[in-house]
CSV table of all heavy atoms in Angstrom, one decimal:
chain,number,residue,atom,x,y,z
A,93,LEU,N,-22.0,-3.3,7.5
A,93,LEU,CA,-23.0,-2.5,6.6
A,93,LEU,C,-24.4,-2.5,7.4
A,93,LEU,O,-24.9,-1.5,7.4
A,93,LEU,CB,-23.3,-3.4,5.3
A,93,LEU,CG,-24.4,-3.2,4.5
A,93,LEU,CD1,-24.5,-1.7,3.9
A,93,LEU,CD2,-24.5,-4.1,3.3
A,122,PHE,N,-27.9,-7.2,6.3
A,122,PHE,CA,-28.6,-6.1,5.9
A,122,PHE,C,-29.6,-6.7,4.7
A,122,PHE,O,-29.2,-7.2,3.7
A,122,PHE,CB,-27.6,-5.2,5.0
A,122,PHE,CG,-28.2,-3.9,4.5
A,122,PHE,CD1,-28.3,-2.7,5.3
A,122,PHE,CD2,-28.4,-3.7,3.1
A,122,PHE,CE1,-28.8,-1.5,4.7
A,122,PHE,CE2,-28.8,-2.6,2.6
A,122,PHE,CZ,-29.0,-1.5,3.3
A,124,LEU,N,-32.3,-6.0,2.2
A,124,LEU,CA,-33.0,-5.1,1.4
A,124,LEU,C,-33.5,-5.8,0.1
A,124,LEU,O,-34.7,-5.9,-0.1
A,124,LEU,CB,-32.1,-3.9,1.0
A,124,LEU,CG,-32.6,-3.0,0.0
A,124,LEU,CD1,-33.9,-2.3,0.5
A,124,LEU,CD2,-31.5,-2.0,-0.4
A,125,THR,N,-32.5,-6.6,-0.6
A,125,THR,CA,-32.7,-7.2,-1.9
A,125,THR,C,-33.8,-8.3,-1.8
A,125,THR,O,-33.9,-9.0,-0.8
A,125,THR,CB,-31.4,-7.7,-2.3
A,125,THR,OG1,-30.6,-6.6,-2.4
A,125,THR,CG2,-31.6,-8.3,-3.8
A,130,GLY,N,-33.8,-5.9,-7.1
A,130,GLY,CA,-32.4,-5.7,-6.9
A,130,GLY,C,-32.0,-4.2,-7.1
A,130,GLY,O,-32.0,-3.5,-6.2
A,131,SER,N,-31.8,-3.9,-8.3
A,131,SER,CA,-31.4,-2.5,-8.6
A,131,SER,C,-32.7,-1.5,-8.4
A,131,SER,O,-32.5,-0.5,-7.9
A,131,SER,CB,-31.2,-2.4,-10.2
A,131,SER,OG,-29.9,-3.0,-10.6
A,132,ASP,N,-33.8,-2.1,-8.7
A,132,ASP,CA,-35.1,-1.3,-8.3
A,132,ASP,C,-35.4,-1.6,-6.8
A,132,ASP,O,-36.5,-2.2,-6.7
A,132,ASP,CB,-36.1,-1.8,-9.3
A,132,ASP,CG,-37.4,-0.9,-9.2
A,132,ASP,OD1,-37.4,0.1,-8.4
A,132,ASP,OD2,-38.3,-1.2,-9.9
A,133,ALA,N,-34.8,-1.0,-6.0
A,133,ALA,CA,-34.9,-1.4,-4.6
A,133,ALA,C,-36.2,-1.0,-3.9
A,133,ALA,O,-36.7,-1.6,-3.3
A,133,ALA,CB,-33.7,-0.8,-3.7
A,134,ALA,N,-36.9,0.0,-4.6
A,134,ALA,CA,-38.2,0.5,-4.2
A,134,ALA,C,-39.2,-0.4,-4.5
A,134,ALA,O,-40.3,-0.3,-3.8
A,134,ALA,CB,-38.5,1.9,-4.8
A,177,THR,N,-41.2,5.0,-2.6
A,177,THR,CA,-40.0,5.0,-1.7
A,177,THR,C,-40.2,5.7,-0.5
A,177,THR,O,-39.5,5.4,0.5
A,177,THR,CB,-38.9,5.8,-2.4
A,177,THR,OG1,-39.5,7.2,-2.8
A,177,THR,CG2,-38.4,5.2,-3.7
A,178,ARG,N,-41.4,6.4,-0.3
A,178,ARG,CA,-41.7,7.0,1.0
A,178,ARG,C,-42.7,6.2,1.8
A,178,ARG,O,-43.3,6.8,2.7
A,178,ARG,CB,-42.3,8.5,0.7
A,178,ARG,CG,-41.3,9.3,0.1
A,178,ARG,CD,-41.7,10.8,0.1
A,178,ARG,NE,-40.6,11.6,-0.5
A,178,ARG,CZ,-40.6,12.9,-0.5
A,178,ARG,NH1,-41.6,13.6,0.0
A,178,ARG,NH2,-39.6,13.6,-1.0
A,229,ARG,N,-39.4,6.2,6.2
A,229,ARG,CA,-38.0,6.9,5.8
A,229,ARG,C,-37.0,5.8,5.6
A,229,ARG,O,-35.8,6.2,5.4
A,229,ARG,CB,-37.6,7.9,6.7
A,229,ARG,CG,-38.6,9.0,6.9
A,229,ARG,CD,-39.1,9.7,5.5
A,229,ARG,NE,-38.1,10.5,4.8
A,229,ARG,CZ,-38.0,10.8,3.6
A,229,ARG,NH1,-38.8,10.1,2.6
A,229,ARG,NH2,-37.1,11.5,3.0
A,231,PHE,N,-36.3,3.8,3.0
A,231,PHE,CA,-35.6,3.7,1.7
A,231,PHE,C,-34.6,4.7,1.7
A,231,PHE,O,-33.4,4.4,1.2
A,231,PHE,CB,-36.5,4.0,0.6
A,231,PHE,CG,-36.0,3.9,-0.9
A,231,PHE,CD1,-35.9,2.8,-1.5
A,231,PHE,CD2,-35.5,5.1,-1.5
A,231,PHE,CE1,-35.3,2.5,-2.8
A,231,PHE,CE2,-34.9,4.9,-2.7
A,231,PHE,CZ,-34.8,3.7,-3.4
A,232,LYS,N,-34.8,5.9,2.2
A,232,LYS,CA,-33.8,7.0,2.3
A,232,LYS,C,-32.6,6.5,3.2
A,232,LYS,O,-31.5,6.7,2.7
A,232,LYS,CB,-34.3,8.3,2.8
A,232,LYS,CG,-33.5,9.4,2.9
A,232,LYS,CD,-34.1,10.7,2.2
A,232,LYS,CE,-32.9,11.8,2.3
A,232,LYS,NZ,-32.9,12.5,1.0
A,235,MET,N,-30.5,4.1,1.3
A,235,MET,CA,-29.5,4.8,0.3
A,235,MET,C,-28.5,5.6,1.0
A,235,MET,O,-27.3,5.5,0.6
A,235,MET,CB,-30.4,5.9,-0.5
A,235,MET,CG,-31.4,5.1,-1.5
A,235,MET,SD,-30.9,4.2,-2.7
A,235,MET,CE,-31.5,2.6,-2.2
A,236,GLN,N,-28.8,6.1,2.1
A,236,GLN,CA,-27.7,6.9,2.9
A,236,GLN,C,-26.7,5.8,3.4
A,236,GLN,O,-25.5,6.1,3.4
A,236,GLN,CB,-28.2,7.5,4.1
A,236,GLN,CG,-29.1,8.8,3.8
A,236,GLN,CD,-29.9,9.3,4.9
A,236,GLN,OE1,-30.4,8.7,5.7
A,236,GLN,NE2,-30.2,10.6,4.8
A,238,LEU,N,-25.9,3.0,1.9
A,238,LEU,CA,-25.1,2.6,0.7
A,238,LEU,C,-24.0,3.6,0.3
A,238,LEU,O,-23.0,3.3,-0.3
A,238,LEU,CB,-25.9,2.2,-0.5
A,238,LEU,CG,-27.0,0.9,-0.2
A,238,LEU,CD1,-28.0,0.9,-1.3
A,238,LEU,CD2,-26.0,-0.4,-0.2
A,239,ASN,N,-24.3,4.8,0.6
A,239,ASN,CA,-23.4,5.9,0.2
A,239,ASN,C,-22.1,5.6,1.0
A,239,ASN,O,-20.9,5.9,0.5
A,239,ASN,CB,-23.7,7.3,0.6
A,239,ASN,CG,-24.9,7.8,-0.2
A,239,ASN,OD1,-25.1,7.3,-1.2
A,239,ASN,ND2,-25.7,8.7,0.5
A,242,ARG,N,-20.4,1.7,0.0
A,242,ARG,CA,-19.9,1.6,-1.4
A,242,ARG,C,-18.3,2.1,-1.3
A,242,ARG,O,-17.5,1.6,-2.2
A,242,ARG,CB,-20.6,2.5,-2.4
A,242,ARG,CG,-22.0,1.8,-2.8
A,242,ARG,CD,-22.9,2.7,-3.6
A,242,ARG,NE,-24.1,2.1,-3.8
A,242,ARG,CZ,-25.3,2.6,-4.1
A,242,ARG,NH1,-25.4,3.9,-4.3
A,242,ARG,NH2,-26.3,1.7,-4.4
A,312,PRO,N,-22.6,11.1,-2.5
A,312,PRO,CA,-22.9,9.8,-3.2
A,312,PRO,C,-22.4,9.7,-4.5
A,312,PRO,O,-22.0,8.6,-4.8
A,312,PRO,CB,-24.6,10.0,-3.4
A,312,PRO,CG,-24.9,11.1,-2.3
A,312,PRO,CD,-23.7,12.0,-2.1
A,361,PHE,N,-22.8,-6.2,-6.8
A,361,PHE,CA,-23.5,-5.9,-5.5
A,361,PHE,C,-23.3,-4.5,-5.1
A,361,PHE,O,-22.5,-3.7,-5.4
A,361,PHE,CB,-23.3,-7.0,-4.4
A,361,PHE,CG,-22.1,-7.2,-3.7
A,361,PHE,CD1,-21.0,-6.3,-3.9
A,361,PHE,CD2,-21.9,-8.3,-2.9
A,361,PHE,CE1,-19.8,-6.5,-3.3
A,361,PHE,CE2,-20.6,-8.5,-2.2
A,361,PHE,CZ,-19.5,-7.6,-2.5
A,362,GLU,N,-24.2,-4.3,-3.9
A,362,GLU,CA,-24.3,-2.9,-3.3
A,362,GLU,C,-24.6,-1.8,-4.5
A,362,GLU,O,-24.2,-0.7,-4.4
A,362,GLU,CB,-23.1,-2.5,-2.7
A,362,GLU,CG,-22.8,-3.5,-1.6
A,362,GLU,CD,-22.4,-3.0,-0.2
A,362,GLU,OE1,-22.5,-1.8,0.0
A,362,GLU,OE2,-22.1,-3.8,0.6
A,363,GLY,N,-25.4,-2.2,-5.5
A,363,GLY,CA,-25.8,-1.4,-6.6
A,363,GLY,C,-24.8,-1.8,-7.8
A,363,GLY,O,-23.6,-1.6,-7.7
A,364,THR,N,-25.5,-2.4,-8.8
A,364,THR,CA,-24.5,-2.6,-10.0
A,364,THR,C,-23.8,-1.4,-10.5
A,364,THR,O,-24.2,-0.3,-10.1
A,364,THR,CB,-25.3,-3.2,-11.2
A,364,THR,OG1,-26.2,-2.2,-11.6
A,364,THR,CG2,-26.3,-4.4,-10.7
A,367,ILE,N,-26.1,0.9,-12.1
A,367,ILE,CA,-26.8,1.8,-11.1
A,367,ILE,C,-26.0,2.9,-10.7
A,367,ILE,O,-26.4,4.0,-10.6
A,367,ILE,CB,-27.4,1.0,-9.9
A,367,ILE,CG1,-28.7,0.1,-10.4
A,367,ILE,CG2,-27.6,1.9,-8.8
A,367,ILE,CD1,-29.7,1.0,-10.9
A,368,GLN,N,-24.6,2.6,-10.4
A,368,GLN,CA,-23.7,3.7,-10.0
A,368,GLN,C,-23.7,4.8,-11.1
A,368,GLN,O,-23.6,5.9,-10.8
A,368,GLN,CB,-22.3,3.1,-9.8
A,368,GLN,CG,-22.2,1.9,-8.9
A,368,GLN,CD,-22.9,2.2,-7.5
A,368,GLN,OE1,-22.9,3.2,-6.9
A,368,GLN,NE2,-23.4,1.0,-7.0
A,370,VAL,N,-26.0,5.4,-13.1
A,370,VAL,CA,-27.3,6.3,-13.0
A,370,VAL,C,-27.1,7.5,-11.9
A,370,VAL,O,-27.4,8.6,-12.2
A,370,VAL,CB,-28.5,5.3,-12.6
A,370,VAL,CG1,-29.7,6.1,-12.2
A,370,VAL,CG2,-28.8,4.4,-13.6
A,371,VAL,N,-26.5,7.0,-10.8
A,371,VAL,CA,-26.4,8.0,-9.7
A,371,VAL,C,-25.4,9.1,-10.2
A,371,VAL,O,-25.7,10.3,-10.0
A,371,VAL,CB,-25.8,7.3,-8.4
A,371,VAL,CG1,-25.3,8.3,-7.3
A,371,VAL,CG2,-26.7,6.3,-8.0
B,401,COS,N1,-28.4,9.1,-0.8
B,401,COS,C1,-29.2,9.7,-0.1
B,401,COS,N2,-30.5,9.8,-0.4
B,401,COS,C2,-30.8,9.2,-1.6
B,401,COS,C3,-29.8,8.5,-2.5
B,401,COS,C4,-28.6,8.6,-2.0
B,401,COS,N3,-27.6,8.2,-2.7
B,401,COS,N4,-30.5,8.1,-3.6
B,401,COS,C5,-31.9,8.3,-3.4
B,401,COS,N5,-32.1,9.0,-2.3
B,401,COS,C6,-33.3,9.5,-1.7
B,401,COS,C7,-33.8,10.6,-2.6
B,401,COS,O1,-33.3,11.9,-2.2
B,401,COS,C8,-35.3,10.5,-2.3
B,401,COS,O2,-35.5,11.0,-0.9
B,401,COS,P1,-36.9,11.8,-0.6
B,401,COS,O3,-37.9,10.7,-0.2
B,401,COS,O4,-36.6,12.6,0.6
B,401,COS,O5,-37.4,12.7,-1.8
B,401,COS,C9,-35.6,8.9,-2.2
B,401,COS,O6,-34.3,8.4,-1.6
B,401,COS,C10,-36.0,8.2,-3.4
B,401,COS,O7,-35.2,8.6,-4.4
B,401,COS,P2,-35.3,8.2,-5.9
B,401,COS,O8,-36.6,8.6,-6.4
B,401,COS,O9,-34.1,8.8,-6.7
B,401,COS,O10,-35.5,6.7,-6.0
B,401,COS,P3,-35.3,5.6,-7.1
B,401,COS,O11,-36.4,4.5,-6.8
B,401,COS,O12,-35.5,6.3,-8.4
B,401,COS,O13,-34.1,4.9,-7.0
B,401,COS,C11,-31.7,4.3,-7.3
B,401,COS,C12,-32.7,5.3,-7.2
B,401,COS,C13,-31.9,3.6,-8.6
B,401,COS,C14,-30.4,5.1,-7.4
B,401,COS,C15,-31.8,3.3,-6.1
B,401,COS,O14,-32.9,2.5,-6.2
B,401,COS,C16,-30.6,2.4,-5.9
B,401,COS,O15,-29.4,2.9,-5.6
B,401,COS,N6,-30.7,1.1,-6.3
B,401,COS,C17,-29.7,0.2,-6.1
B,401,COS,C18,-30.0,-0.5,-4.9
B,401,COS,C19,-28.8,-1.4,-4.4
B,401,COS,O16,-27.7,-0.7,-4.3
B,401,COS,N7,-29.0,-2.5,-4.0
B,401,COS,C20,-28.0,-3.3,-3.4
B,401,COS,C21,-28.6,-3.9,-2.2
B,401,COS,S1,-27.6,-3.9,-0.8
B,401,COS,S2,-26.3,-5.2,-1.2
Side-chain angles (χ1 to χ4, degrees):
L93 164 66
F122 182 84
L124 172 66
T125 301
S131 293
D132 182 10
T177 56
R178 293 189 179 189
R229 297 309 283 153
F231 184 83
K232 182 130 183 138
M235 294 300 117
Q236 286 166 333
L238 292 169
N239 293 338
R242 285 169 182 163
F361 66 12
E362 305 225 8
T364 62
I367 284 292
Q368 308 307 324
V370 168
V371 174

